[in-house]
């Protein structure tokens, strides 16, 4: 009887030990899985290439020129890319990547060496091909909720505007950089002049941002002979919604010695009233600024840096405003 009882105790002890070991193993397995996921997340951040955003944009636009590098997109292409950018803004990256891949766009995370911020880069796979289609490139602030955009419709053609836009993006959190993918004279007729067309990927993306209530500033450049008395021509395009922001920008620029023509107060050349993106923003009552800069502002580092900081007086206000949808 005593032996039988002893065997029962022994078996029960063994079962308890086995159960304990199994439980400990499960805990260790869960811990290992958690550690693996954390390590994977760390590796994902670690894999985000550190790059000088200004250099990346310069490399992207280096080959732009008249007469080549643009193919007009179909409506389905325009809609798909704009919708995917919207998905990225909503944090639905997997869905966005799938949709963009179907349109031959890539998505990756980069870390800008200068600002230290992470950006989601959306790039056209054909950019490096023999026959690029020129549909544009986009950068979205990944460390802050995007609230505003800086737009470059005429990179290279309006020399220096693409680099000025990088400075603007770096100056304030929450920005989206929208860059046209070709020289304005790259396509047949004015098909690549995205500021004056509605049938471009550039316009579709800007329209999606307007639909979400995100204010935008669009950068242009004018020849010194076009407005010799001014350094900057500030306008709200076809609309009135951005006038308070326009006044704030003009005041900041004037305070730092820039000669500003205020299109809402007097007749200025190059007011941008025919700008297609401005019209879409106006239709949705979303602030839009159309800003033209003289070569002296775009070409000098000190002047461009100051101009970007002055634009920042507006973009920082937009970044702190309640989100609109």
């Amino acid at each position: 009887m005593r032996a039988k009882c002893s065997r029962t105790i022994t078996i029960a002890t063994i079962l308890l030990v086995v159960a304990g070991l199994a439980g400990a193993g499960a805990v260790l397995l869960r811990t290992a899985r958690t550690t693996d996921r954390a390590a994977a997340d760390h590796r994902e951040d670690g894999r985000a290439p550190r790059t000088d955003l200004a250099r990346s944009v310069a490399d992207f636009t280096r080959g732009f020129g008249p007469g080549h590098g643009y193919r007009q997109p179909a409506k389905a292409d325009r809609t798909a890319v704009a919708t995917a950018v919207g998905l990225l803004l909503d944090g639905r990256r997997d869905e966005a990547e799938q949709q963009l891949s179907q349109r031959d766009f890539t998505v990756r995370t980069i870390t800008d060496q200068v600002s230290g911020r992470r950006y989601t880069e959306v790039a056209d796979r054909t950019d490096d091909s023999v026959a690029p289609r020129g549909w544009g490139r986009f950068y979205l602030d990944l460390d802050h909720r995007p609230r505003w955009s800086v737009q470059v419709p005429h990179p290279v053609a309006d020399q220096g505007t693409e680099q000025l836009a990088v400075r603007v993006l770096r100056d304030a959190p929450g920005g989206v950089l929208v860059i046209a993918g070709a020289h304005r004279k790259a396509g047949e007729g004015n098909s690549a002049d995205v500021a004056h067309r509605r049938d471009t990927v550039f316009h579709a993306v800007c329209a999606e941002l307007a639909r979400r209530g995100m204010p935008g500033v669009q950068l242009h450049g004018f020849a010194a002979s076009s407005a010799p008395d001014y350094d900057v021509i500030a306008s709200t395009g076809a609309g009135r919604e951005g006038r308070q922001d326009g006044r704030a920008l003009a005041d900041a620029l004037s305070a730092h010695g820039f000669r500003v023509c205020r299109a809402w107060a007097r007749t200025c050349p190059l007011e941008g009233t025919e700008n297609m993106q401005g019209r879409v923003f106006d239709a949705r009552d979303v602030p839009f600024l159309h800003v033209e800069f003289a070569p002296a502002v775009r070409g000098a580092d000190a002047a461009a840096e100051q101009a970007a900081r002055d634009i920042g007086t507006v973009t920082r206000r937009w970044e702190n405003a309640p989100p609109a949808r």
Side-chain angles (χ1 to χ4, degrees):
M1 184 71 174
R2 188 176 301 145
K4 183 177 180 180
C5 182
S6 179
R7 283 198 302 274
T8 301
I9 293 171
T10 302
I11 292 170
T13 302
I14 292 171
L15 289 173
L16 285 172
V17 171
V18 169
L21 289 173
V27 171
L28 288 172
L29 183 59
R30 285 196 299 271
T31 302
R33 285 174 177 169
T34 301
T35 303
D36 287 345
R37 283 196 298 270
D41 291 342
H42 176 75
R43 286 195 301 271
E44 183 65 30
D45 286 342
R47 280 201 301 266
R50 295 187 63 83
T51 184
D52 182 341
L53 185 56
R55 180 173 297 176
S56 294
V57 169
D59 290 343
F60 165 55
T61 60
R62 182 170 291 118
F64 287 12
H68 65 89
Y70 186 73
R71 186 172 80 238
Q72 194 163 348
K75 182 178 180 180
D77 296 319
R78 305 192 304 265
T79 301
V81 175
T83 300
V85 170
L87 290 171
L88 286 171
L89 292 171
D90 290 335
R92 296 159 63 182
R93 179 161 174 160
D94 289 345
E95 295 174 62
E97 285 186 349
Q98 183 178 10
Q99 187 154 315
L100 286 165
S101 179
Q102 292 171 358
R103 304 291 166 174
D104 283 327
F105 274 83
T106 62
V107 181
R108 67 169 182 154
T109 299
I110 65 167
T111 301
D112 178 37
Q113 291 175 345
V114 174
S115 67
R117 293 198 198 108
R118 295 179 307 148
Y119 293 94
T120 300
E121 177 193 80
V122 180
D124 188 337
R125 281 198 185 103
T126 73
D127 287 342
D128 298 323
S129 69
V130 176
R133 59 189 179 181
W135 289 359
R137 184 170 292 190
F138 320 105
Y139 292 91
L140 295 75
D141 190 336
L142 194 56
D143 292 329
H144 306 85
R145 179 170 180 171
R147 297 284 181 82
W148 55 273
S149 70
V150 54
Q151 307 162 15
V152 186
H154 301 145
V156 177
D158 288 0
Q159 188 175 11
T161 52
E162 62 275 12
Q163 291 299 320
L164 179 57
V166 171
R167 296 177 189 271
V168 172
L169 186 70
R170 285 170 168 167
D171 185 77
V176 176
L177 173 56
V178 185
I179 311 177
H183 191 282
R184 67 184 299 178
K185 295 183 178 179
E188 186 174 343
N190 77 333
S191 61
D193 186 357
V194 298
H196 299 103
R197 304 279 301 213
R198 291 178 179 268
D199 56 352
T200 67
V201 172
F202 179 93
H203 181 80
V205 170
C206 289
E208 173 64 18
L209 301 180
R211 186 185 72 80
R212 291 168 173 268
M214 296 171 59
V217 54
Q218 192 170 109
L219 308 183
H220 293 259
F222 65 88
S225 58
S226 298
D229 295 330
Y230 298 105
D231 301 307
V232 185
I233 300 166
S235 167
T236 56
R240 301 168 58 90
E241 191 66 29
R243 286 196 176 180
Q244 182 179 357
D245 297 314
R247 292 188 187 99
L249 172 59
D251 289 347
L253 289 163
S254 296
H256 291 107
F258 295 106
R259 300 168 300 164
V260 184
C261 188
R262 306 174 186 229
W264 53 86
R266 59 169 300 165
T267 300
C268 300
L270 306 168
E271 293 183 356
T273 55
E274 300 300 316
N275 183 280
M276 292 295 105
Q277 292 76 55
R279 292 187 174 189
V280 168
F281 277 71
D282 177 46
R284 293 191 173 274
D285 297 322
V286 178
F288 176 84
L289 298 179
H290 181 282
V291 192
E292 296 264 2
F293 293 93
V297 180
R298 292 174 277 128
D301 284 347
E305 191 64 38
Q306 184 60 59
R309 285 198 294 269
D310 292 337
I311 295 171
T313 62
V314 175
T315 58
R316 283 190 291 274
R317 180 160 59 185
W318 289 342
E319 191 271 331
N320 291 318
R325 283 298 301 264

